[in-house]
Amino acid sequence: MLEVSLRHRFSAFALDVSFSAQTPGVTALFGASGSGKSTVLSIVAGLLRPQAGRVALDGAALLDTAAGVDVPAERRRCGVVFQDAKLLPHLSVETNLRYGARRAPRSEITGAGPSFAEVVDLLGIAPLLRRRPRALSGGERQRVALGRALLSRPRLLLMDEPLAALDGGRKAEILPFLDRLRDVAGVPILYVTHALDEVDRLADTLVLMEAGRVLAAGRLETLAARTDLPALSGRRDAGAVLSCTVQAHDIARGLTGLGFLGGELRVPLRIEPAGTRLRLRLRARDVAVATEAPRGISSHNILPGTITAIAPAGPHEAFVTLQVGPTPLLARLTRDSVGTLGLAPGMAVFALVKSTAFDHG
């Protein structure tokens, strides 16, 4: 368990946050620039001492101002990855990595944690070992920085907007490696970002921040479906996040079946093998609602559900929350449609989702 409770006042900014998250897993601090995300990460790392607060990992206090505990940054065993990879330019990739291993506590060198070869394989950097940082792409530099942090045997991995400086192609290159890191390394991760696609892909716990405060914290799937959080519901890509498993591929029809708690979706053919777990955002604007089982339509996905809530989504639109099995979905409809169909909480309806709704990834 990662527990964070902090209070700190700057000249023009006050930080007052409190959240907890299960470990291992990825806890994403999400919010606009200036919301205090990086300040929280700096305090957890021991780079900034707050006026009051407590940080504990699995019951062990790294910081407790009330008890006079403030473990020095070099003893907190936090691996930090910044937006700038901060590699040593005069050293090869291999030497940069081994520099990280030299920073591991002696008692941990032969203890738990991935070996040099395992880290190189995990991050796919074997072909890069002889190169210098200047000969690497942005995505490659970030992978090496991740490897260096892992080889320091961290108890907690802190990542401060590690993909913010990368273009779309480089970002797509490194996200699969972060997926593997989350699933294989077993190190809890505190991840700072203002990019919702990174949250969808990586986060287990979402901490939504605004102006130095926590607006909400909890499981990503739960918060994504809430309509009372404008920082999420006010976006044009607002919608539910679904944890899915690849069921089967129908190559002849160009479709893949994705199972989730509540049913199955058919989407354009994907490359992942059967059994692969993944998460997808189903945007509210891609969901239509029918009061009767439709016939003769192009949508592959017709999901029976029950309306649980209706909330405003602007002057002329509304969010309709649907329960499909145990999974909440959101539909964004015009208020005219809500009135014409007589939609109300408790009604049994059908959610209609075009397969191509997922071609945005």
Side-chain angles (χ1 to χ4, degrees), residues 185-202:
V187 179
I189 300 172
L190 187 62
Y191 190 96
V192 168
T193 184
H194 63 267
L196 195 58
D197 60 332
E198 295 173 30
V199 173
D200 290 348
R201 181 79 175 254
L202 302 170

Side-chain angles (χ1 to χ4, degrees), residues 198-260:
E198 295 173 30
V199 173
D200 290 348
R201 181 79 175 254
L202 302 170
D204 299 295
T205 299
L206 173 61
V207 179
L208 184 61
M209 293 188 62
E210 183 178 278
R213 296 179 179 273
V214 174
L215 297 181
R219 292 182 63 251
L220 169 63
E221 292 89 341
T222 301
L223 296 192
R226 284 177 53 177
T227 59
D228 61 335
L229 300 172
L232 299 178
S233 63
R235 303 169 59 105
R236 292 304 295 175
D237 54 358
V241 174
L242 306 180
S243 295
C244 303
T245 302
V246 177
Q247 305 281 51
H249 302 292
D250 188 335
I251 296 176
R253 299 177 65 192
L255 297 172
T256 292
L258 301 179
F260 70 99

